Amino acid sequence: MTIPPSANDIQTRQTIVRLLSSMASAKEISQYLKRFSQLDAARFAVVKVGGAVLRDDLDSLTSSLAFLQDVGLTPIVLHGAGPQLDDEFAAAGIEKQTVNGLRVTTPEALAIVRRVFHAQNLRLVEALQRGGARATSIVSGVFEADFLDRATLGLVGEVTRVHLAPIQASLQAGSIPVIASLGETTGGQILNVNADFAASELVQVLQPYKIVFLTGTGGLLDDQGRIIDSINLSTEYTDLMNQPWINGGMRVKIQQVKDLLDKLPPSSSVSITQPSELAKELFTHKGSGTLVRR
Ligand code: X2W
């Protein structure tokens, strides 16, 4: 197989070839590489990284993303910071309050949200740079937002417009855009935006070839705690949502993925996996984690 010229370090090339050939045939991997390389950079992949992944799996995440850059591909990364916010709220003695999974955000809480998002963003960018990758920190300028429900949720935003210029600039420089899910109103008020919602808005604008959610669990789990390979929403959605073993978090996730896929072309799919499986998900027919189709 041919590795694009950006993988110019012999050792990196050898590692890549070894890693890939252990997952699937060279022919299979080459097909995907070729397909991805022909796409416009902004159409390759949006990877949403949950805060739990940043906390528990930063090394795998960093090497998986750097690996993509080694083979000449630049994913667009959007991250959350949920568990880190929980910790900081607890440390500040602020009680966590959520409505439908969204964090009620007072002005005092927003100060923490901004600080934590900046810190987590920088943590990932610096880890990528230490791992030899190029990465650009983007904590503002992408998500224009409006108050979602000011009376109930306070300083929480829903995205009204996505500005691609900062992302395009990063991609043109061959640098991985690492985006925090903070929004800003036209009046300049910063708002806390749920990272899955922000990812969904970004994906609707970009319509990338691959949409990947990296989570701590590495996929959606069945009643035995095993990862479900694939879900076809058109035939399985109602049945799945009626299962007693589907827990609250998973119900919300399935609902969010369905809402997202409903707004995308019928051929679209969403992959839910873990960082160490990202290359397998992207470059093999079998994939990894859970593939959700419409
Ligand atoms: C989220 C933003 C962080 C997030 C929050 O405050 O927790 C709202 O709920 P994960 O790690 O991707 O869940 N915002 C409004 O979504 O992070």
Side-chain angles (χ1 to χ4, degrees), residues 102 143-151 153-162 182-194 197 201:
L102 298 171
F143 298 113
E144 196 173 303
D146 209 345
F147 294 93
L148 181 57
D149 177 352
R150 195 170 188 171
L153 293 167
L155 301 170
V156 167
E158 68 176 332
V159 176
T160 49
R161 216 173 139 190
V162 178
L182 286 169
E184 188 171 346
T185 67
T186 48
Q189 171 66 56
I190 304 292
L191 297 174
N192 179 11
V193 178
N194 173 277
F197 288 179
E201 296 297 327

Side-chain angles (χ1 to χ4, degrees), residues 108-156:
E108 186 194 8
L110 184 72
I112 297 176
V113 169
R114 292 179 69 169
R115 176 164 55 75
V116 169
F117 261 121
H118 279 75
Q120 291 305 315
N121 185 276
L122 224 55
R123 190 160 158 262
L124 177 54
V125 168
E126 285 172 0
L128 283 165
Q129 289 168 347
R130 268 199 309 279
R134 293 180 301 284
T136 304
S137 162
I138 302 178
V139 289
S140 64
V142 171
F143 298 113
E144 196 173 303
D146 209 345
F147 294 93
L148 181 57
D149 177 352
R150 195 170 188 171
T152 313
L153 293 167
L155 301 170
V156 167

Side-chain angles (χ1 to χ4, degrees), residues 70-114:
D70 282 336
V71 295
L73 300 168
T74 314
I76 295 167
V77 175
L78 180 120
H79 70 87
Q84 292 85 349
L85 288 170
D86 289 350
D87 289 349
E88 289 295 316
F89 271 52
I94 301 175
E95 202 189 327
K96 177 182 173 179
Q97 221 191 317
T98 57
V99 177
N100 297 329
L102 298 171
R103 189 185 308 268
V104 175
T105 308
T106 62
E108 186 194 8
L110 184 72
I112 297 176
V113 169
R114 292 179 69 169

Side-chain angles (χ1 to χ4, degrees), residues 231-245:
I231 294 175
N232 193 329
L233 291 173
S234 62
T235 51
E236 294 170 80
Y237 178 72
T238 314
D239 193 34
L240 200 61
M241 292 303 251
N242 284 330
Q243 296 297 325
W245 47 266

